[in-house]
Amino acid sequence: MNTCSKLLANFSLAALSVLGFYSCKDSDDLDDHLITDQKVEFVVPDEKMGVDMGLSVKWAPFNVGASKPTEYGNYYAWGEIEPKKLYTVDNYTVYDYSNELDIYGTNHDVAHVKWGSKWRMPTIEETLELAQKCTWEEVEIDGVKGMRVTGPSGNSIFLPAGGRRVDDRIEDLGSYGHYWQGSYAIIENVELYYYDVNQVIWGLSVRPVWAE
């Protein structure tokens, strides 16, 4: 694996627990202030489309709001279920999120609400499985940079480096992947949940799991 691409196995120590990874890019490849112009049709996969990676849950083949693995999909603030053009404190709607530390499977879980059935946001344990039991490889597919994550079963998913939405711009597009997970998290006595409104308001990607 290229030394400038690495999985952040300890996730983010700011805001709610985030699955993040770096993916190299040339400095002149992208303008971090431009909004991605990907146009996609909202697609809801069925169970058969879930990828059995040999883990405790099946992982979705693409992000919420996408129709295939190389599409970034929509960006959501923590606990919100609709994408926006602007991600600020003023228009953040989940003001009382501190009373609902685990949102997976609830009406604040965008995967559960939009896809239904047994789709939901991953828990911290499921996210750790993906981080620690799988092989991560930086790849580029159809011009989209990201990570191919291969599980113990030999099956894999592609996580595009879709960056994050902050205010009215997108940051880190093509160089970093930011993915929400849906549970309060403490790992090795390090608390990964912070009541920092400057972070929960950001728009991040969501990759659902199918849980029996």
Side-chain angles (χ1 to χ4, degrees):
M1 184 184 299
N2 192 309
T3 56
C4 65
S5 67
K6 59 183 178 180
L7 169 68
L8 298 186
N10 62 337
F11 309 102
S12 170
L13 295 183
L16 298 113
S17 180
V18 176
L19 172 62
F21 59 82
Y22 289 112
S23 181
C24 296
K25 73 168 182 177
D26 297 329
S27 60
D28 57 353
D29 278 351
L30 294 164
D31 184 343
D32 280 351
H33 295 282
L34 294 178
I35 299 298
T36 173
D37 60 358
Q38 282 191 340
K39 305 296 183 184
V40 301
E41 178 183 356
F42 197 93
V43 173
V44 177
D46 59 25
E47 179 187 6
K48 294 180 180 179
M49 296 179 68
V51 181
D52 184 356
M53 303 175 68
L55 304 173
S56 62
V57 291
K58 294 180 180 179
W59 283 80
F62 45 78
N63 294 342
V64 176
S67 62
K68 59 183 180 180
T70 52
E71 291 173 348
Y72 303 126
N74 292 330
Y75 299 81
Y76 299 94
W78 169 256
E80 293 189 349
I81 60 172
E82 298 294 342
K84 302 180 290 190
K85 292 183 178 180
L86 187 66
Y87 292 78
T88 67
V89 173
D90 291 337
N91 72 358
Y92 181 64
T93 62
V94 190
Y95 296 106
D96 197 25
Y97 62 86
S98 62
N99 289 330
E100 190 174 17
L101 302 180
D102 294 334
I103 66 169
Y104 62 89
T106 73
N107 61 357
H108 287 298
D109 178 343
V110 64
H112 175 69
V113 173
K114 295 297 185 181
W115 285 12
S117 192
K118 296 181 180 179
W119 291 111
R120 60 166 172 75
M121 297 171 71
T123 66
I124 185 59
E125 292 81 11
E126 293 156 358
T127 308
L128 278 174
E129 271 192 329
L130 193 73
Q132 298 174 346
K133 295 184 179 181
C134 298
T135 300
W136 291 65
E137 177 188 10
E138 181 190 9
V139 296
E140 183 172 328
I141 301 176
D142 297 334
V144 178
K145 294 183 178 181
M147 290 286 186
R148 177 185 289 126
V149 187
T150 304
S153 70
N155 294 329
S156 64
I157 59 174
F158 175 68
L159 295 174
R164 65 189 175 194
R165 291 287 303 272
V166 180
D167 294 326
D168 62 349
R169 66 186 185 277
I170 191 165
E171 298 180 343
D172 302 332
L173 184 65
S175 64
Y176 201 105
H178 301 267
Y179 288 80
W180 287 128
Q181 59 87 32
S183 61
Y184 179 88
I186 298 178
I187 303 176
E188 296 179 353
N189 298 320
V190 176
E191 188 169 334
L192 299 187
Y193 188 107
Y194 289 79
Y195 304 127
D196 184 346
V197 71
N198 292 319
Q199 313 241 356
V200 297
I201 64 173
W202 291 343
L204 306 188
S205 301
V206 174
R207 178 61 62 93
V209 297
W210 178 280
E212 295 293 344

